[in-house]
Amino acid sequence: NDIGTQALAGSLGMYNDSGIVYYGGGANLEDARTPRIVNAPDGTRIAFVGCNDPGPAGAFATAETPGAAPCDDWVWITDAIAALKAQDQADFVIATVQYWEVPGYAPTAEHVEDFARLATAGADIVAGSHAHQPQSFAFQDGTFIHYGMGNLFFDQMDFIENRQMFADKHILYEGRHISTVLFTGLMEEYAQPNPMTPEDRAAFLAMMFAESGW
C-alpha cells in the first residue's frame, strides 16, 4: 500500500544518508537485485545478495516502487552469484533468502534443493533469514548452508521452538571462510535474546547437529 511504500522509501533514504549498506531490497527492482560489495580490512571483497521467495506480492519491488527482490524461480540470483565470481567482482559471496516458513528444525526437500542452487552457483555461505524456528545446517562442496537462524528480536513467546535462536558469526580471512561461531540464545520477555546456559546450549546443539545428519 501507499503508506508501506512511503515508509520503505523513507527507510532506504535514511540508510543512504547514513552510509548503511543494504541488499535484497531497494528503491526499485533493479536496486533490490543489485549485489552489494564491501571490502574487509584485509582486502577481501565480500558480496551480499538476497531475495524473498514467498512474498506476499505486495512486498516485492517493481520497476517503479521499492520492495524486496523476488527470487523469481532463482534465475536472476543464481546468474548474479555466478557473475560475481566469473567476473572477479568478489572473493566471497554471501546469499540470504527469506524462504517459506515451516514448523520444524529440518528443512523441506524443496528448501534443500533451492538453497543448493545458490551453492552450486558459487555462493560461499547460504542462509535462511526467514525462520521463526531455527533450522539445521549443511555443507555442499565447501559452501556452508544454514537453513534458518530463528527469531532475533521478535515477540513469539508461546513455544520454546520459536524462542530458540542462532546468530552466526563468520570468520573470513584472505577470501577464505575460516570458521563460523554459533551464538545460541533463548528469547526472554519478548524480543530479548539471552545466551543459553551451557547445559541448554549443549542439548540444543546436539539436537541441531543430529537434525543435520552429523
Side-chain angles (χ1 to χ4, degrees):
N1 58 45
D2 290 342
I3 294 176
T5 298
Q6 294 170 11
L8 178 53
S11 295
L12 294 174
M14 289 190 289
Y15 295 158
N16 287 326
D17 291 343
S18 302
I20 297 174
V21 176
Y22 60 83
Y23 71 100
N28 52 48
L29 184 59
E30 181 181 3
D31 187 40
R33 288 177 169 178
T34 300
R36 307 300 181 188
I37 302 171
V38 299
N39 294 316
D42 70 348
T44 299
R45 299 164 301 167
I46 307 169
F48 296 86
V49 62
C51 67
N52 178 327
D53 201 33
F60 292 142
T62 71
E64 294 84 23
T65 60
C71 295
D72 281 348
D73 294 328
W74 313 97
V75 175
W76 76 264
I77 191 169
T78 53
D79 287 349
I81 292 169
L84 286 165
K85 290 294 187 71
Q87 298 173 12
D88 193 30
Q89 300 177 58
D91 304 302
F92 201 88
V93 178
I94 298 176
T96 65
V97 179
Q98 183 76 12
Y99 200 72
W100 297 87
E101 185 66 38
V102 295
Y105 293 113
T108 64
E110 185 177 18
H111 190 168
V112 171
E113 179 181 353
D114 288 338
F115 276 33
R117 299 172 192 263
L118 307 184
T120 299
D124 299 282
I125 292 175
V126 181
S129 58
H130 63 288
H132 293 301
Q133 180 174 342
Q135 293 181 300
S136 56
F137 314 91
F139 287 101
Q140 177 180 314
D141 298 327
T143 297
F144 175 68
I145 301 173
H146 193 168
Y147 292 106
M149 289 178 281
N151 289 321
L152 181 57
F153 305 119
F154 217 70
D155 62 356
Q156 293 184 340
M157 292 289 294
D158 293 339
F159 304 102
I160 187 65
E161 293 84 359
N162 291 342
R163 294 175 58 207
Q164 299 165 328
M165 54 81 66
F166 285 105
D168 298 353
K169 180 180 180 180
H170 302 297
I171 311 300
L172 313 179
Y173 182 68
E174 294 185 348
R176 294 183 298 129
H177 182 195
I178 303 300
S179 67
T180 291
V181 179
L182 298 173
F183 171 85
T184 53
L186 192 66
M187 203 76 64
E188 303 287 355
E189 296 301 325
Y190 297 90
Q192 296 180 23
N194 292 332
M196 289 184 177
T197 66
E199 295 77 15
D200 286 344
R201 173 179 168 83
F204 180 55
L205 288 176
M207 176 186 65
M208 298 307 299
F209 293 160
E211 290 282 355
S212 305
W214 299 349

